[in-house]
Amino acid sequence: MLDYIIRRILFIIPTLLGIMFLNFLLVQFVPGGPVEQMIYQFENGSNLELVGGGGTDAGQQNDQNQSLKSDSKYRGAQGLPEEFIKDLEKQFGFDKSPSQRFFIMIQNYLTFNFGESYFRSISVIDLVLEKMPVSITLGLWSTLIAYLISIPLGIRKAVNDGSSFDTISSGIIIICYSLPGFLFAIILLVFFAGGSYYQIFPMRGLTSDNWSELTNLGKVLDYLWHIFLPVLASTIGSFATLTLLTKNSFVDEIKKQYVITAKAKGLPKNRVLYGHVFRNAMLIIIAGFPGLFIGVFFGGSLIIETIFSLDGLGRLGFEAALTRDYPVMFGTLYFFGLLGLIIGLISDLVYVVVDPRIDFESRNT
């Protein structure tokens, strides 16, 4: 088992490098980088402070620009001094070739040195640590609720396989699964968050403005009040998948010979179901917990956090992509990629813990 773990850990490195390389390559073809962002702010009269501390007097530069012409490769840079453009490129690291920038970035990331945000006076690691609890909370609540609902429902559907209850519930589940999470989130906002009908739940955030003034019980209730709609929206897809997975797993076990033998011996139905079938049928479901969590974590982070204005990692990465804040964008991508690969390894290890008969030593990967 140790050899398998070592191989998987070593496999994480080239996989993560490939993810970073492909995304870095794509970014090179996207217009509107950080230099263009600064030029745009400059042209609109913003007071700029270059990364690294260099300052620029916008009024003085505007006076000089009237007589300067530039053949700069950046859109909107016509009339700006070449020295100013080169200074911007140096501050953002664009005075180096793309290959040099990539290898410098990877070298720093291997030691978890993500640098500092281009447009905020804070390090990327501090930003990630600040936003991470929101995303993890959303992922954990959604995953736990999905399990609490899906397992009992899936078991009942398996026991009543082919009944009207099974048919009707399957139809509802399929509808829930086919409904995109972002659309369901918008429907919840429209109907229950003051969109057009009822103002039952808050529209954004995880806490109220008077959070600090509430009692401990009041803080808990306020938090649950805010998190209800986001968790419901992010649970809907995983709930449907997990329910059908539970049902199919139990149906397969119920049809096996050892269950038929146990029933023939006169064992009570519940004892057969929960004493024999449950442990075997739950193997794949329990072992899939890490994978389901990371799926909800990734899927909910961007869409749900943006719609409900939750200040988490997904929203941070989305805003960084819009503003071309590359250190934040690649830092969150590196974190998501590394976390996903580690969770994949944990999922395999959970299989072994749940069922020691599984042996990964014989696998070649």
Side-chain angles (χ1 to χ4, degrees), residues 21-158:
F21 175 74
L22 289 176
N23 284 274
F24 184 87
L25 188 64
L26 289 173
V27 164
Q28 306 310 307
F29 299 98
V30 177
V35 175
E36 286 92 333
Q37 294 287 329
M38 296 296 283
I39 291 173
Y40 173 79
Q41 295 180 35
F42 178 82
E43 293 291 349
N44 283 272
S46 301
N47 291 323
L48 300 182
E49 183 177 346
L50 299 181
V51 176
T56 302
D57 188 326
Q60 182 180 0
Q61 289 288 350
N62 278 326
D63 292 338
Q64 297 174 354
N65 292 342
Q66 302 300 321
S67 59
L68 290 173
K69 297 296 180 182
S70 171
D71 295 326
S72 175
K73 60 184 177 181
Y74 300 107
R75 291 185 300 176
Q78 297 299 320
L80 292 178
E82 284 295 333
E83 294 77 10
F84 176 73
I85 300 298
K86 290 180 179 178
D87 196 17
L88 278 178
E89 290 180 331
K90 183 177 180 180
Q91 298 297 332
F92 288 117
F94 283 84
D95 56 330
K96 301 178 178 66
S97 66
S99 59
Q100 288 178 307
R101 298 202 307 270
F102 177 75
F103 285 112
I104 291 173
M105 180 184 72
I106 293 300
Q107 183 180 1
N108 291 332
Y109 280 17
L110 290 176
T111 59
F112 292 92
N113 177 17
F114 299 107
E116 186 172 304
S117 168
Y118 283 158
F119 308 110
R120 310 186 193 190
S121 298
I122 185 172
S123 67
V124 174
I125 191 66
D126 288 339
L127 272 175
V128 170
L129 293 177
E130 178 185 336
K131 312 298 183 183
M132 186 167 56
V134 174
S135 298
I136 291 180
T137 299
L138 183 60
L140 279 177
W141 274 113
S142 301
T143 306
L144 289 174
I145 291 175
Y147 267 82
L148 290 174
I149 296 175
S150 299
I151 291 176
L153 180 58
I155 293 174
R156 184 175 177 185
K157 285 174 62 61

Side-chain angles (χ1 to χ4, degrees), residues 156-285:
R156 184 175 177 185
K157 285 174 62 61
V159 172
N160 299 280
D161 186 31
S163 65
S164 58
F165 169 79
D166 181 39
T167 303
I168 295 173
S169 59
S170 293
I172 296 174
I173 288 171
I174 292 173
I175 293 174
C176 293
Y177 181 75
S178 62
L179 188 66
F182 74 91
L183 180 59
F184 187 65
I186 294 173
I187 291 174
L188 291 176
L189 284 177
V190 170
F191 279 90
F192 303 109
S196 300
Y197 296 91
Y198 305 102
Q199 179 68 60
I200 300 176
F201 297 97
M203 184 176 294
R204 59 176 60 88
L206 285 179
T207 57
S208 300
D209 294 336
N210 62 336
W211 165 264
S212 59
E213 303 173 3
L214 299 175
T215 63
N216 291 334
L217 178 60
K219 289 181 178 179
V220 172
L221 294 177
D222 183 74
Y223 168 77
L224 294 176
W225 181 48
H226 281 77
I227 203 70
F228 182 82
L229 291 186
V231 167
L232 182 60
S234 61
T235 303
I236 194 71
S238 56
F239 147 77
T241 304
L242 187 58
T243 300
L244 295 179
L245 178 63
T246 303
K247 178 203 169 180
N248 294 334
S249 180
F250 272 82
V251 168
D252 289 341
E253 289 295 324
I254 289 173
K255 293 179 180 179
K256 290 184 177 180
Q257 185 61 45
Y258 76 90
V259 177
I260 298 174
T261 303
K263 289 180 179 179
K265 290 181 178 180
L267 291 178
K269 183 178 180 180
N270 285 340
R271 183 176 176 183
V272 174
L273 181 63
Y274 294 103
H276 298 276
V277 175
F278 187 83
R279 185 183 65 178
N280 294 327
M282 287 297 292
L283 170 63
I284 190 172
I285 299 168

Side-chain angles (χ1 to χ4, degrees), residues 312-326:
L313 280 178
R315 187 180 176 191
L316 174 66
F318 175 70
E319 292 177 349
L322 291 180
T323 60
R324 305 297 192 268
D325 196 346
Y326 290 156

